[in-house]
Amino acid sequence: MSATLLEPQSALASPAPSLARLYLLEARHEFLRLLRTPMFCIPTLLFPAMFYLLFGVVMNRGTVSGGFIPAVYMLAGYGMFGVMAPGLFGFGASVASDRDSGWLQWRRAMPMPPGAYLLAKLAMAMLFALLVGLILAAIAITLGGVRLPLSAWALLFVVEVLGVLPFCAIGLLIGSMVSAQAAPAIINLVFLPMSFLSGLWLPLMLLPRVLQEVAVLWPAWHLGQLAYMAVGQPNSGSAIGHVVVLAAITLLFLALARRRLARG
């Protein structure tokens, strides 16, 4: 039998890639794609570090009554500010761009595992959130003199990595509704005011009373309280209550985004 007749059989006999490998490759390519996108990568990784270095380290020293330590408190706050961006921009702007370019429709015709597209973006957002947390931790330890137990660091990293989930859902809904040109502006209108009004930039106690009372409306506030609990700083509410609120927000926005995308 000739070699030419054996070639099709060998091609058919080659093992198909495993499902786990397909998901990992999709996640790797998504991470590398955004890592090589300066408009996403540079602000996401550097802005939280710059703000924390300025407001959390340079302009804040010492301890205030009640156990409030500025360098530690703002480490948690700017950490939550930093993890919001991968979720909002990584999903919102990216999905809007993929919709406008026709990439989403093209992917539906590809023999890819269901959910690989969104799971890859989710893995990308969680990995960027971890990188933001590690950068801030390095600044806090080397320049801010922050010393925390290993358990507190571990809990803070868990809050940062999982805390990106509700903002992925919010970003997904935005990306499913607006055009690629409008998405960055809409996301910034959500991202920046929510961060400020939730007390992530400055302690909420420094804001007007009316803003303190309505802060509970923002998912970023609930995430911030979990971060303050992790590092032993002043906080409000219960951990279970904050987790329930964030989980409900994630499921709600995910359902709305799924319905919107199903409509085309």
Side-chain angles (χ1 to χ4, degrees):
M1 187 177 293
S2 64
T4 57
L5 294 177
L6 292 175
E7 289 179 359
Q9 292 181 349
S10 62
L12 291 174
S14 61
S18 65
L19 189 63
R21 177 173 172 78
L22 289 176
Y23 280 112
L24 289 174
L25 286 174
E26 184 77 9
R28 177 177 179 269
H29 293 156
E30 180 66 18
F31 175 76
L32 292 176
R33 180 172 75 92
L34 291 180
L35 189 64
R36 295 167 180 169
T37 304
M39 292 182 63
F40 173 84
C41 180
I42 293 177
T44 298
L45 296 179
L46 294 187
F47 281 4
M50 291 171 54
F51 290 152
Y52 175 64
L53 182 61
L54 178 60
F55 297 108
V57 176
V58 176
M59 299 180 63
N60 282 291
R61 296 288 181 180
T63 304
V64 183
S65 60
F68 173 76
I69 304 175
V72 177
Y73 188 91
M74 291 192 173
L75 168 66
Y78 280 112
M80 298 310 102
F81 165 70
V83 305
M84 291 171 64
L88 290 173
F89 287 96
F91 271 78
S94 179
V95 170
S97 176
D98 290 345
R99 281 178 51 245
D100 284 3
S101 65
W103 175 247
L104 280 183
Q105 290 184 342
W106 186 75
R107 284 188 61 90
R108 289 176 180 175
M110 295 177 61
M112 290 294 293
Y117 174 78
L118 293 181
L119 287 177
K121 289 187 177 297
L122 179 60
M124 170 277 304
M126 297 176 77
L127 186 52
F128 268 99
L130 179 60
L131 290 176
V132 169
L134 291 173
I135 292 172
L136 291 180
I139 295 174
I141 294 173
T142 58
L143 301 178
V146 173
R147 298 294 181 268
L148 294 173
L150 289 178
S151 59
W153 284 114
L155 188 55
L156 180 61
F157 289 144
V158 170
V159 173
E160 289 172 339
V161 172
L162 297 182
V164 76
L165 295 178
F167 301 101
C168 290
I170 296 172
L172 181 60
L173 179 60
I174 295 174
S176 69
M177 297 177 63
V178 304
S179 66
Q181 290 184 338
I186 299 298
I187 293 170
N188 276 313
L189 288 176
V190 174
F191 176 42
L192 298 178
M194 186 192 298
S195 302
F196 177 76
L197 295 174
S198 300
L200 300 183
W201 291 4
L202 297 171
L204 202 60
M205 64 191 76
L206 301 179
L207 300 181
R209 183 70 179 179
V210 63
L211 297 182
Q212 297 181 33
E213 293 176 352
V214 301
V216 68
L217 299 175
W218 316 120
W221 179 83
H222 293 279
L223 184 61
Q225 300 311 306
L226 290 175
Y228 300 140
M229 292 178 187
V231 296
Q233 289 298 287
N235 56 82
S236 301
S238 67
I240 294 178
H242 296 310
V243 170
V244 169
V245 170
L246 292 172
I249 290 173
T250 302
L251 294 176
L252 173 62
F253 279 88
L254 182 60
L256 293 174
R258 181 179 179 182
R259 183 179 179 183
R260 176 74 181 181
L261 290 172
R263 291 179 176 178

